[in-house]
Amino acid sequence: MKSNTTYIKSNPQVSLESILHVIKSKGLNISQVKENPLYSDLFDEFKNSLSELIDIICHERSIHELINSIGKSYNSTFYSDMKEYDTYFEAVSETYLRLFSVIKKSSGDVNNIGRVRGDTFLDKDPEVFTYTLRSYIRNNILLDLSRKLGAENTRTESDTVFFEGDESIYKVDSVKFNRSQIENSVDIADQIADSITFKDDMQALVDAVIARFTSRKPVAAYIFLCTLNETYDPRKIVTNLKSKNFNDLFHGVLKDLSFTYNLDISCYNTMVYDATKYLSSFRSISDESARARIDRLASQTRKDVQRLPIANVIRSHM
């Protein structure tokens, strides 16, 4: 089934591209427009459209999930009051400020040292500006923010989180996890959940995940279904897994998916999903350690799903 979804530009993107065309037609770059009083009105229009576009990009689901993930990965005393929007505002402000900063290090084959970063975005056509900006936020702003919070985190907490048995996670793994999330932010879960035209694919994916994971890793299956349902929240999941009946939770997310995507889940109505073995140790560890474990399990499960045969079938439909 082919998607009939069409990308529609936001008003700020349309406005920004129009302004960039004007700037290029005058033989100028963004920093020159900013510095020249004759173009103050044009620059005001540019920065307003840019600010609105940055806000829209940071609220796109794939980007916003990364922002939430980063903010929730560091629950140290130092960052005890950090919520998702604290991280969001930091990402937005860092993006805006860096676009007007001078590049001090060279990366890749092109040497842009000494140039204003925003000017380099205008080396390409204005229609490519939004794509370049989105990639810059994902691959630079958010990755640097993850590293920054990880470095601060190590000042107030021990370097290692220990779980039952010999399982342990170093704090630096949080940075690695978020980098992996950034590099793989567009995956089957995102694409399917964003495209309700893929009803048949969603049914096949849910069936495949249940068949693959429920017997050996039922919690992994539950977490991935929460991702498909767009209700993945480590804090809430930890609270639910520690306090509620797992079978009820599993059937609950299945029921939500069936309503959202009109799926047939009748074959699962009498099934009992048991995660006693996993939850026996999970419920005895701290909430912070539990969230770290859930985040790591979610990341690994998303990768495992990519390797299922159904993933290749779904990709062929896109």
Side-chain angles (χ1 to χ4, degrees):
M1 182 183 300
K2 294 291 184 181
S3 171
N4 56 8
T5 303
T6 302
Y7 176 74
I8 300 176
K9 294 182 180 181
S10 64
N11 290 334
Q13 181 178 348
V14 173
S15 174
L16 185 67
E17 290 176 2
S18 176
I19 294 169
L20 293 175
H21 274 293
V22 173
I23 293 174
K24 292 199 75 170
S25 69
K26 295 179 179 295
L28 302 172
N29 56 40
I30 296 170
S31 57
Q32 289 172 332
V33 172
K34 177 185 177 183
E35 295 166 2
N36 193 329
L38 294 176
Y39 300 113
S40 59
D41 290 342
L42 181 61
F43 181 71
D44 284 342
E45 292 179 18
F46 168 77
K47 69 179 183 181
N48 289 337
S49 296
L50 176 63
S51 299
E52 292 177 6
L53 181 60
I54 292 173
D55 179 70
I56 289 173
I57 291 175
C58 287
H59 273 97
E60 291 176 355
R61 194 170 74 89
S62 61
I63 298 292
H64 203 240
E65 280 186 349
L66 297 177
I67 292 174
N68 292 350
S69 172
I70 292 170
K72 293 172 182 177
S73 292
Y74 306 103
N75 299 297
S76 66
T77 302
F78 187 85
Y79 278 104
S80 59
D81 61 345
M82 176 163 281
K83 308 298 182 183
E84 64 175 273
Y85 276 99
D86 294 317
T87 316
Y88 157 75
F89 283 123
E90 192 163 356
V92 169
S93 61
E94 277 293 310
T95 301
Y96 187 85
L97 291 173
R98 287 205 211 174
L99 288 178
F100 295 101
S101 65
V102 176
I103 298 174
K104 298 180 180 180
K105 294 182 180 180
S106 176
S107 60
D109 298 328
V110 180
N111 186 354
N112 285 316
I113 293 177
R115 298 183 65 192
V116 174
R117 188 173 304 280
D119 291 345
T120 66
F121 286 17
L122 204 52
D123 289 346
K124 301 176 181 178
D125 292 336
E127 286 74 17
V128 185
F129 188 94
T130 299
Y131 171 81
T132 307
L133 179 60
R134 182 181 291 109
S135 297
Y136 181 68
I137 292 173
R138 177 188 293 119
N139 299 326
N140 297 86
I141 297 296
L142 297 185
L143 182 56
D144 289 348
L145 185 57
S146 175
R147 287 170 173 163
K148 172 187 173 183
L149 297 184
E152 295 287 358
N153 197 63
T154 58
R155 298 179 185 177
T156 56
E157 294 186 292
S158 61
D159 290 334
T160 310
V161 174
F162 291 96
F163 297 134
E164 289 292 322
D166 58 355
E167 184 181 11
S168 64
I169 297 179
Y170 287 93
K171 295 295 181 181
V172 72
D173 287 343
S174 292
V175 177
K176 293 178 180 178
F177 163 72
N178 283 303
R179 179 168 186 172
S180 174
Q181 289 285 81
I182 290 169
E183 292 170 347
N184 300 287
S185 60
V186 179
D187 62 14
I188 293 298
D190 293 330
Q191 293 170 354
I192 292 294
D194 283 344
S195 308
I196 59 173
T197 54
F198 292 144
K199 186 256 183 181
D200 293 341
D201 285 343
M202 178 63 84
Q203 180 78 58
L205 182 60
V206 169
D207 291 341
V209 168
I210 290 177
R212 170 64 177 81
F213 294 104
T214 51
S215 61
R216 293 175 50 250
K217 300 172 68 175
V219 176
Y222 170 70
I223 290 173
F224 190 80
L225 294 181
C226 286
T227 301
L228 288 179
N229 196 42
E230 299 187 57
T231 54
Y232 176 74
D233 180 341
R235 291 176 182 271
K236 186 174 181 180
I237 286 177
V238 167
T239 299
N240 288 341
L241 289 178
K242 285 192 172 188
S243 61
K244 297 182 179 181
N245 180 278
F246 180 76
N247 187 57
D248 292 342
L249 291 173
F250 202 100
H251 280 286
V253 72
L254 271 179
K255 186 176 181 180
D256 289 343
L257 285 169
S258 70
F259 284 143
T260 303
Y261 297 101
N262 193 27
L263 305 182
D264 179 9
I265 61 169
S266 57
C267 61
Y268 304 119
N269 288 343
T270 59
M271 292 187 67
V272 177
Y273 300 99
D274 182 21
T276 303
K277 183 177 180 180
Y278 183 92
L279 294 177
S280 60
S281 62
F282 181 85
R283 288 173 174 166
S284 65
I285 62 179
S286 69
D287 286 355
E288 180 187 359
S289 297
R291 286 193 294 271
R293 182 183 286 191
I294 289 299
D295 265 342
R296 191 174 70 162
L297 182 59
S299 179
Q300 183 59 51
T301 304
R302 290 164 79 96
K303 293 177 183 177
D304 291 343
V305 171
Q306 297 287 327
R307 301 187 186 102
L308 295 177
I310 186 61
N312 291 327
V313 174
I314 292 173
R315 291 190 189 96
S316 70
H317 294 168
M318 295 179 175

